[in-house]
Amino acid sequence: MKFIGAHVSISGGIELSPIRAAEIGATAFAIFTKNQRQWDARPLEEESILAFKQNLKKVHIKPEHVLPHDGYLINLGNVDSTKRTKSLEAFIDEIGRVNKLGLTMLNFHPGSHLGETSEEECLSIIAESINEAISKTSNVTLVIENMAGQGSNLGYKFEHLATLIDKVKNKKRIGTCIDTCHTHSSGHDLSTAKSFEKVINEFDKIIGLNFLRGVHLNDSKTEMGSRKDRHESIGKGSIGLDSFKWLMSDPRFNNIPLILETPNEEIWADEIAMLKKFSR
Ligand code: ZN
Ligand code: MN
Ligand code: MN
């Protein structure tokens, strides 16, 4: 079975997010656990946590179908140790928030070398950060997202994710998320049936589909291999509608959250309804 939703807002309180998801017909969803553009956040209030759990039950969405996303300021691969520590502390705080909400995963971007070190060295720093985060927290699986390859962001090669997983000691707490826009933009063509199959098999061979914990469903505004991170509404970009039909009817994507991060919120309900139809 497919579980489909969108990255919904937490404005007015994180406890409102399950209701927002249900309103657009979602059976899964993503959230930030705090303002994604700020370092500091007050701890979640007990009432808010309780209401979140109650609302999740009310809308019949399982905690394992919620895929929280970490904040945008975090760079686990920063060579500057003061800056890396700040990122790591913020990351650990977010893992704690996820755990308190009764959720099971935190989706994150690997990190950026900022032109200050090699990709290889940066991956080692990221892996070290992940291991430290895991050792200082419990329960939550850390879900690495593949990236488009914009700027100095790592994670645009499947090998980057494989290297990170390889270096993580506790394999039970590491997973991956495929972002379709990032995949296509980073040079893995999802627009033809043959190539779609090839890309997913490549992902399986290099990383392992057994590590797949979620998918971000986005079309791409820019062409295949552009290394630009520009999401487009489903069927309106260079990936095209067919690719989402293949994905929705592919059992390899069963039972994990499939999350829209498409730019036009107004049509999320329609996109979800359409994707549900593809999955039948
Ligand atoms: Zn992301
Ligand atoms: Mn994404
Ligand atoms: Mn993106």
Side-chain angles (χ1 to χ4, degrees):
M1 191 169 171
K2 295 293 189 294
F3 295 88
I4 312 157
H7 186 127
V8 298
S9 164
I10 57 162
S11 77
I14 202 157
E15 64 275 17
L16 300 175
S17 59
I19 309 290
R20 287 193 177 112
E23 275 169 3
I24 53 172
T27 51
F29 66 95
I31 44 170
F32 292 114
T33 69
K34 57 187 269 292
N35 185 319
Q36 75 276 21
R37 297 179 205 281
Q38 288 175 13
W39 283 110
D40 297 317
R42 274 177 298 164
L44 293 167
E45 311 224 353
E46 286 307 322
E47 299 107 76
S48 184
I49 293 168
L50 193 67
F52 176 86
K53 291 178 178 174
Q54 283 169 344
N55 285 341
L56 206 54
K57 272 210 181 103
K58 199 164 29 173
V59 301
H60 306 291
I61 295 178
K62 289 196 188 128
E64 57 266 35
H65 294 143
V66 184
L67 184 58
H69 196 298
D70 79 332
Y72 290 151
L73 301 177
I74 292 173
N75 178 9
L76 299 176
N78 207 318
V79 272
D80 179 316
S81 78
T82 310
K83 287 178 185 162
R84 185 193 75 117
T85 301
K86 187 169 186 175
S87 282
L88 187 56
E89 279 168 3
F91 191 54
I92 288 169
D93 178 64
E94 290 205 34
I95 298 168
R97 296 165 88 86
V98 167
N99 196 30
K100 277 195 171 160
L101 290 166
L103 303 177
T104 60
M105 303 188 278
L106 179 62
N107 163 211
F108 69 103
H109 296 176
S112 312
H113 59 70
L114 307 170
E116 289 164 10
T117 187
S118 67
E119 292 194 340
E120 200 189 350
E121 172 66 16
C122 186
L123 287 170
S124 294
I125 297 169
I126 296 166
E128 209 177 294
S129 302
I130 297 171
N131 280 324
E132 204 172 326
I134 288 176
S135 75
K136 288 181 174 162
T137 57
S138 43
N139 304 320
V140 178
T141 298
L142 306 178
V143 177
I144 319 169
E145 180 172 354
N146 74 314
M147 302 307 291
Q150 196 164 287
S152 67
N153 296 335
L154 291 182
Y156 62 90
K157 284 185 178 167
F158 292 160
E159 285 83 358
H160 293 166
L161 274 62
T163 299
L164 290 175
I165 291 173
D166 190 50
K167 288 176 191 273
V168 170
K169 292 180 198 131
N170 186 347
K171 304 276 191 269
K172 280 188 198 129
R173 291 190 53 199
I174 196 80
T176 59
C177 167
I178 295 179
D179 183 306
T180 54
C181 166
H182 301 171
T183 302
H184 194 69
S185 298
S186 63
H188 305 87
D189 189 357
L190 293 177
S191 69
T192 73
K194 207 174 153 197
S195 176
F196 177 92
E197 193 55 31
K198 195 176 143 232
V199 170
I200 303 307
N201 287 334
E202 226 174 81
F203 181 93
D204 189 31
K205 212 174 89 196
I206 298 169
I207 298 169
L209 281 164
N210 53 316
F211 283 105
L212 187 66
R213 296 289 175 270
V215 176
H216 289 167
L217 298 169
N218 303 304
D219 211 324
S220 175
K221 268 195 177 49
T222 56
E223 73 278 17
M224 201 274 293
S226 66
R227 290 184 59 166
K228 293 254 159 49
D229 185 359
R230 303 271 187 282
H231 301 186
E232 180 56 285
S233 298
I234 302 300
K236 303 218 167 86
S238 62
I239 298 177
L241 199 57
D242 283 343
S243 188
F244 297 94
K245 290 183 185 167
W246 303 323
L247 199 150
M248 295 312 297
S249 57
D250 188 330
R252 291 175 292 187
F253 303 101
N254 282 356
N255 303 320
I256 53 172
L258 308 173
I259 307 294
L260 292 163
E261 296 175 318
T262 46
N264 184 2
E265 301 188 26
E266 309 274 298
I267 62 166
W268 278 348
D270 296 334
E271 287 182 308
I272 290 168
M274 176 178 74
L275 291 165
K276 279 183 179 172
K277 233 184 254 168
F278 294 164
S279 72
R280 279 201 290 269

